[in-house]
Every structure is written in structure tokens, then in C-alpha cells.
Amino acid sequence: MSVLLYLFWLILPQSSTADAMILQEKLGVKVESPMSYTVTRERDVMIFNAEGAHLAEDYLFYDDGGSIVSFKGAVYNLNSDTPVRKSKQKDFIDRSIYNGGVSDYRVRRLDMTSGNYPYRVKIVSKIRVKKGFLSLPSWNPDRYLRTPVKSSIFEVQLPADYPVTVAEQNYPTAVEETALEKGGRLLKWAVNDLEARDQWEDYYPKNKQSITVSVVPQHFSYGNTVGNNASWQTFGQWYFELNKDKYSLPVALQEKTAELVKDKDRASAIQAIYQWVQKNNRYVSIQIGIGGFESAPSALTFSRGYGDCKALTTLTKGMLNYAGIAADPVLVYGGQAKREVDAGMVNNQFNHVILALPNAQDTTWLECTSDTSPVGYLGAFTGDRYGLYIKDQGSGLVKTKQYTLSDNILMNRAEMQLQANGTAIGEIEKTYQGVYFGEFLNWNQRTQKEQKAYYYSSLRMKSFTLQAHEESDEMAQFIHRKKINIEASNTVKKAGAKLFLTPNIFQNMGEQIKGDSRHFPIQQSQSFDQHNVVRWHLPAGYHPHKLPEPVELKSPFGTYHGRYEMQGNVLVWTRNYQYTAGKFPADDFEAFKAFEKAIYRAEKTRLMLVPTT
């Protein structure tokens, strides 16, 4: 085998972009009972260069509900079956999975990297889970870029009368199912000769582009609890029962809550409680107990003054409920990049919890881990996605606050006084609304250096000095404003008496997208509306040689309107750009590229200013 591998390396095309090659990989799961399963992993991989060296490392995640049975590796030369190095104690690092938090989740890392490329690594491991589980390990054979896969196998051995739900994504064939002689069944998925993928396609979630198989038990035992994944209602009921006794308040907190809401209407009472929680408690990641699902009691969080997302949500809900205001937790997957919930695959697809306050007209949302968010604001981290609303006998998937085109507005306005030597004095106003607003919730916690770096990155001028800046917020309307004064140099290029000016001083929109083919849909996750107005007060004796024609672009992806005009000696560039959220077929790729390219070019338009004769 090693001689063949060495010959294979020799005949690899020099232009190959592969960083590594998975020769053989096997993930085996054996379910022994509703409380326990064993996972074995075997990986045999060739490492070609430093970019592929991460595949010479492996990680095992565990907690007090599981144990590592075995974990070892070996390094080989391609032309030999004799290991040049076997794993030793110094190759392992064991640590908590959460730096700066509190957790009984741990990770053990094995590092078998070598600087002598190419080389081969084999890693085998076995881990046993023994205190229950919600789901089984998933299989994702083509998860690495520039890494072809010769063979990858996923086997799940199930006992008799153990129903599971299977979700397959991009798997090309049908699962193989075999009845076992001693009862039970074996499920098997396999792929061979997968070509290397050079890059992920933009404008579509990376986790949706690879092969993934997930297996979830329809009934589960976890810690000292039992539940089932028959429906979102039953899974939500399990979470409800797990935490239903956590909301009661100690006497001191009851008195504080009564004090906070005295003589206040509903809206004012919500704000008073929410702001008190924000001011008097801090967020700390805590992952202890039943998989991070069981919250600390409100009384404990109150006494500590800190908690994780579950604990802070529980504390806030307890106070609101005591004040007679309905509030329910909602499980979500938090992140700037929205992750879709597979509605047909009932299991835990969430990593965060927020609070929903239902009302006859609308729902008020609270992000209880933030010490700066105003009441009702979720933003890009948890907004506009499906979550699991937790309610006794009434749990189900709901959509969180959706931020639409009319919510997400960015307005830039600049008055630029241009001199013939290329120096310009500028007064700039920027207004951020909707998801844009969320970027500045922690603005006052940034250092002066960080704030200054933001200003310099937000303008595309080559050389300028920040003279002054000020900020203001309209928290109830989710609006952030900035006023900036700058002095810029080299704003024009000179050619004799002519001056060449790029009117757009803000960040360019649009892009020149590469690639001639598309496999996956084009997905735009967030709508927004951007308005730019830049007014250039031209130096005496200069005027544009010719004003560009207006740019009018209309497509399913959005609209773009840009125009130039003279108002006395002032050159005015106005641009309105509306970007439409949605999912578009891969066949629209060429049209999408053309739309983005046209915007990119319009944003970079340069004008020639000539002396007035």
C-alpha cells in the first residue's frame, strides 16, 4: 500500500490544488441503549503541505456524561508502513471548551503534525457516552477545502425497536440498511472518489454545500430526564418541564420587582425590569449540567449577579411574570450568518435563548445577554429566523423579529469643500437603522483606537485626518447617528490643468464576482436600503468636462439609482441602492454577476474637472 501511495504522490499533477487527501475515513456509532452509545473514528490521510496540516490534528469533545476509551495516532513516510512517530503524552492537550466561561465540557486535542512534507497520518479514537443523549454524531465527509476523499464511511448500529429520524443533505445515493442477526439494524452511508473543492460558493451558507447525514432518536433519555422528538411541541415540552421550577423569585427580588413596576404601564414596566437586569447582572458562559439546557434558578442568578443566556432569560422571565407580564423563552441559533432550521428534523438545532413577550398586537423581544440593547431589539444576531417558542403544551417554531427593507436603512451625507491642490474639508453625517444599528450598541465600550480605526475604514479616501466626531442614539427607534469632520489630501489626480475626481467617498458596493458556473442557489439573507449624497463644492474656475449618464438598474436582486448634477458650483452625486433578501436559482448566476458588476463600476466612476474658459 505504501509503495502505491508513494507512486501516487509522484504522479500528482504539479498544478494540483490539494492540500491533503483523505485516503480512508470511517465513523462508526453503536447505540447500546437509550442512555449510551460508542463512537469509533478512524482516519488515514496524506498531508501535502502546511495548509493541509490541520488534518494531522484531531479533537475529541466530552463531558462527565462520557469518557475517552482510546485516542492515538501515528505518522508515516509515504513509502513505508513503519511509523516514524507514534503519539505520546506530549502530543495531547486537554482543556475546557469554553475559555473565560464555566463548563464541564472538555476537548482533548491530538497533534501529529510534521514539517516533512508529504507525509501520512493515521488517527483512531473511541469515545463512550453513558448518561443519555439527544442526538448522535453527524457525518460530513467533504467538509474540508482542497481535500479530495478516496473513501469515507458512516455506520450507525441500532438496537431493535429503536426508531430514529434521518436527515440527508446532498447525499447522492440511498442509505444501505441491513438487519443484524442478533436483532437491530445497521445503517450505512459511503462515498468514494470525491474531488477536491477549491472554494465554497459565495452567497449561500457553507454548511448547506457539503454532504451531511444526521441521525436523531425519536425518543431520548438525557441525564435524569426523558423526552421525545416526535414533534416540536414534544421537544419544547421537554425543555419546559426541565426549567418550569426555575422562575420563582426570592422575597428580596419580589420586593425589587414590585418597586420597579409601581404605577407603571406595561411598556414602562417591561423597560424598568429589562434595564435593571442589564445594569445589575453580567453575562458569563456557563455550560454545566444537562447539556447546557437546564437553567440556573432565578434566585441563584440574583445572588450571583451573573449568568449565561438561559439564566439571564430565566431571571428576566421570572420578574416579568411576577409583575403580571407574560413572557416565554425562545430557543434560536444565534449568529450574524443565519442558519436555517430544518423543520422536518426535530432535535436541538439551537445555541441560544431569548425572551418573547406576547401581546394582542405584537410580540416584544428581549435579548437578555446584552447590557446595551434597547427593549425590542434583536438585530442581526437573532433576528429574522425561526426559533422554538417554549410554552406549556404549546411549543412550536416561530419567526423572530423580521428586519425588512424599511427597517434596515443606512444614510450617508457629505459636504466636501475641494481645493485645486486636492485638499478637501469634509463634514459627514451617517445614520444607521435596523440591523445597522446593532453594530454600535457597544460603541462606548470600544477603545479610542478601535473607534478611530472604524472611521478610517468606513471611508474610501486614501489620505485623511479625523478632525472631530460625535455620536448620538435614538434607542427607542433603533437609530445611531455619527457626525464626522475630516481634512483630506490627494483627493484628485492631476494631469496638467485637469483634475480627476472620484465623487464617492464611502465604501463601494457591488463586486466583480468570479466563476463561470454555479451549483447552489443565490441566497441574500438581509434586505437593506442605502442612500448616499455627496456634495462637492468645486474650486473656483473648475467644472466637470461631462456629467456621466444616470445609472438605473432594476433586477430581482435589487435596484440601484445613481445620478450626477450641478447645483451652481456644487457637484452632487446621489445614489440609492436597495438590496432584496431572497433565494434565487443558480441559473440566475450570470444575471446576478452582471448586476453586481454594474454597481461596482458605477461606485468607482471618476469625473474629469477642467478649467472654465
Side-chain angles (χ1 to χ4, degrees), residues 10 108 186 189 209 221 312 332 358 419 432-433 437 526 611:
L10 290 177
R108 186 172 300 175
L186 179 70
W189 296 262
Q209 298 183 39
S221 299
L312 296 176
V332 295
Q419 299 178 24
Y432 306 84
Q433 296 179 229
F437 167 78
Q526 195 74 66

Side-chain angles (χ1 to χ4, degrees), residues 12-82:
L12 263 179
Q14 295 302 307
S15 62
S16 173
T17 60
D19 298 325
M21 172 180 281
I22 295 175
L23 300 169
Q24 188 171 17
E25 182 178 52
K26 184 175 181 180
L27 175 62
V29 179
K30 182 179 180 181
V31 177
E32 289 114 7
S33 74
M35 292 293 293
S36 65
Y37 68 79
T38 302
V39 182
T40 56
R41 295 198 298 177
E42 304 172 15
R43 188 165 73 202
D44 187 352
V45 59
M46 293 169 62
I47 311 295
F48 298 146
N49 55 47
E51 295 298 319
H54 63 94
L55 283 168
E57 302 174 343
D58 203 4
Y59 300 82
L60 294 185
F61 299 89
Y62 66 101
D63 60 11
D64 62 359
S67 60
I68 296 175
V69 179
S70 61
F71 195 13
K72 59 185 178 179
V75 178
Y76 301 79
N77 291 325
L78 294 193
N79 58 354
S80 174
D81 284 325
T82 302

Side-chain angles (χ1 to χ4, degrees), residues 583-601:
K583 185 181 289 186
F584 308 93
D587 289 344
D588 289 349
F589 186 49
E590 289 301 320
F592 181 68
K593 284 169 56 179
F595 178 68
E596 288 287 320
K597 184 176 182 179
I599 294 173
Y600 177 82
R601 288 182 171 179

